[in-house]
Amino acid sequence: MKFFIDTANIEQIKAAASWGVLDGVTTNPSLVAKESRDYKELLNQIVEIVDGPISAEVVSEEVDGMLREARDLAGIHSNIVIKVPFTPDGLRVTKTLSGEGIGVNVTLIFSPLQALMAAKAGARFVSPFVGRLDDISHQGMDIVNDIVTIYDNYIFETEVLVASVRHPLHVLEAALMGADVATIPFKVLKQMFKHPLTDIGIEKFLADWRNAGKKM
Ligand code: E4P
C-alpha cells in the first residue's frame, strides 16, 4: 500500500519523506492557498523531495482551460499527475490526457459509479473522499470497498487513492480493504506513530539501562 501525504507544506513533506514511508504527494487548491508561495515554484520543489506521483489540481472548469493548465503543470516533471474534478468536462480531459500519456487523478469521488466512469475514461487514480462522506453521516469507507470490488471484477488498472482521511482508522480500513493508496494529512501520519505501550516500553528499557549503570 502506498502512502501519499495530503499537503502542500514543504516542511511536512520533508519530514514524512525522512521517515521512509512516503510514496507521493497530493495537493489541492485549498491546501495550496494556505502556502504563501507560487504554485509552480512549490511543485518544482516538491518533485525534488519526493520521487513519486505528485498530484497538481487544475482550477478551470471547462475543457480548454483544464487542458491548458494540465499540460503546463505536467511539463514541470514526469511525476506530476493532473487532478481533475469528476464532471463531464473533467472526464473529457481525463480521456484526452491519458491518451497523451499524462496521468490523471479524478477527484471529488463520492460514489462507486463515479469511480467506475473515471476508470473507463482512463484515470490513473480515483480519489474517494471518505471524511467528507462521514461528515454527512454516510459510511465513507463503504464506497472504497465497493470501488475495490468493481475494479477487481473488471481488472481496471486505475488505483484507488483514499482521500479526505481524518484519522488512523481510515488508513487501517483502507489497507484491510486493499486500497492502493491513502493520502494522509501530516497530523494523521504523526498519530500513526503513537502507541502508549511503545512509549512505556522505551521508558522502561532506558530506565533499566541507566539503573544498571551501563554505558554504550
Ligand atoms: C486529496 O486529494 C483531497 O483533496 C483531500 O484529501 C481532501 O481532504 P479534506 O476533505 O480534508 O479537505
Side-chain angles (χ1 to χ4, degrees):
M1 183 188 189
K2 292 171 207 151
F3 283 2
F4 292 178
I5 188 166
D6 197 24
T7 185
N9 182 279
I10 294 293
E11 294 317 310
Q12 294 180 354
I13 294 168
K14 280 184 179 164
S18 74
W19 298 331
V21 297
L22 198 59
D23 303 296
V25 180
T26 53
T27 65
N28 67 35
S30 305
L31 293 171
V32 174
K34 289 186 196 163
E35 309 299 318
S36 46
R37 299 274 307 278
D38 173 74
Y39 190 25
K40 283 167 76 176
E41 191 187 297
L42 203 53
L43 291 169
N44 266 302
Q45 204 176 345
I46 296 173
V47 296
E48 291 303 316
I49 303 166
V50 183
D51 184 18
I54 314 295
S55 287
E57 188 157 344
V58 295
V59 291
S60 286
E61 291 182 86
E62 28 58 59
V63 172
D64 289 348
M66 280 196 246
L67 282 175
R68 194 177 50 251
E69 291 174 17
R71 289 178 182 133
D72 190 28
L73 293 169
I76 293 174
H77 194 278
S78 55
N79 279 343
I80 297 286
V81 169
I82 304 303
K83 242 171 135 181
V84 303
F86 181 84
T87 60
D89 277 9
L91 282 201
R92 278 188 206 112
V93 167
T94 301
K95 185 174 180 328
T96 302
L97 293 178
S98 66
E100 293 173 13
I102 297 173
V104 178
N105 172 357
V106 179
T107 190
L108 292 163
I109 293 287
F110 292 97
S111 85
L113 287 178
Q114 290 179 328
L116 176 55
M117 290 169 76
K120 285 174 71 65
R124 176 169 171 198
F125 298 99
V126 286
S127 291
F129 275 35
V130 298
R132 292 193 196 185
L133 280 169
D134 289 352
D135 289 344
I136 57 158
S137 304
H138 283 252
Q139 296 285 357
M141 291 310 299
D142 282 356
I143 71 159
V144 173
N145 205 24
D146 287 351
I147 297 168
V148 169
T149 302
I150 291 168
Y151 285 6
D152 283 350
N153 285 348
Y154 297 102
I155 326 199
F156 281 109
E157 283 177 12
T158 306
E159 294 186 53
V160 182
L161 192 170
V162 178
S164 188
V165 163
R166 298 278 156 81
H167 46 69
L169 206 49
H170 277 149
V171 182
L172 174 63
E173 287 176 326
L176 290 169
M177 287 171 184
D180 302 280
V181 191
T183 187
I184 311 171
F186 188 59
K187 177 176 159 247
V188 177
L189 262 181
K190 284 196 296 182
Q191 287 174 323
M192 288 162 60
F193 272 99
K194 284 286 164 201
H195 196 290
L197 290 179
T198 304
D199 297 341
I200 291 167
I202 293 170
E203 225 172 87
K204 174 141 184 15
F205 282 151
L206 296 183
D208 289 347
W209 179 267
R210 270 193 311 271
N211 293 341
K214 296 282 181 197
K215 297 246 179 316
M216 192 59 86

